[in-house]
Amino acid sequence: MSGALKGELEALTGAYYEEAPEGAAYPYMVFSARRLTEDAGQQVYTLEVNAWDQHPYYSRAEGMMDVLEGKLHRCNYMTEGHLIRIFKGARQNIPDSDKTIKRVREQFEMRVYEMED
């Protein structure tokens, strides 16, 4: 993923790329993107976002994901040279061996279109 696209996704999601910095305060979100296909100026990605919290219940992490899902679903986001379209996808709570850690993962579908000059 290009640095420009990474920066745009950080701004759009409010999440850290790949991993949170050491000592990040809970709750927080982390995203990663995996390109699935590329064809004629269009790239299709799986945009995975994980909401992490240290809390007895999933409610805060789920609430964060609800807000992000509302923001991203059917989003049309224009950047310099790209149009990004995002759609909600598979979402689930992920158990952690540390029972105080709550994780909610959603895998969005993201399409990135290169804009012609």
Side-chain angles (χ1 to χ4, degrees), residues 46-83:
T46 294
L47 174 65
E48 181 173 308
V49 181
N50 287 279
W52 294 89
D53 196 9
Q54 190 169 35
H55 194 262
Y57 308 103
Y58 281 94
S59 56
R60 291 193 321 189
E62 287 174 342
M64 289 176 69
M65 195 62 75
D66 289 344
V67 169
L68 184 64
E69 187 178 271
K71 180 179 180 181
L72 295 185
H73 182 55
R74 296 186 179 173
C75 165
N76 290 309
Y77 188 72
M78 294 291 295
T79 70
E80 178 107 9
H82 294 98
L83 167 64

Side-chain angles (χ1 to χ4, degrees), residues 5-112:
L5 182 56
K6 182 186 99 164
E8 293 295 339
L9 289 173
E10 286 175 336
L12 184 61
T13 63
Y16 299 110
Y17 177 64
E18 295 288 334
E19 60 184 56
E22 191 172 324
Y26 289 103
Y28 60 81
M29 291 188 293
V30 174
F31 78 91
S32 61
R34 181 172 45 104
R35 187 173 62 215
L36 304 173
T37 63
E38 181 174 4
D39 184 40
Q42 174 186 270
Q43 299 172 16
V44 178
Y45 289 84
T46 294
L47 174 65
E48 181 173 308
V49 181
N50 287 279
W52 294 89
D53 196 9
Q54 190 169 35
H55 194 262
Y57 308 103
Y58 281 94
S59 56
R60 291 193 321 189
E62 287 174 342
M64 289 176 69
M65 195 62 75
D66 289 344
V67 169
L68 184 64
E69 187 178 271
K71 180 179 180 181
L72 295 185
H73 182 55
R74 296 186 179 173
C75 165
N76 290 309
Y77 188 72
M78 294 291 295
T79 70
E80 178 107 9
H82 294 98
L83 167 64
I84 301 171
R85 299 204 67 212
I86 301 174
F87 303 91
K88 65 182 171 182
R91 178 173 167 177
Q92 69 187 105
N93 295 347
I94 308 293
D96 194 279
S97 59
D98 179 345
K99 299 302 179 199
T100 68
I101 302 293
K102 303 301 182 219
R103 174 180 167 204
V104 177
R105 176 180 68 196
E106 183 153 359
Q107 295 173 313
F108 295 88
E109 177 184 323
M110 179 173 74
R111 296 179 179 269
V112 179

Side-chain angles (χ1 to χ4, degrees), residues 79-83 113-117:
T79 70
E80 178 107 9
H82 294 98
L83 167 64
Y113 302 89
E114 293 180 20
M115 305 300 286
E116 296 181 12
D117 293 332

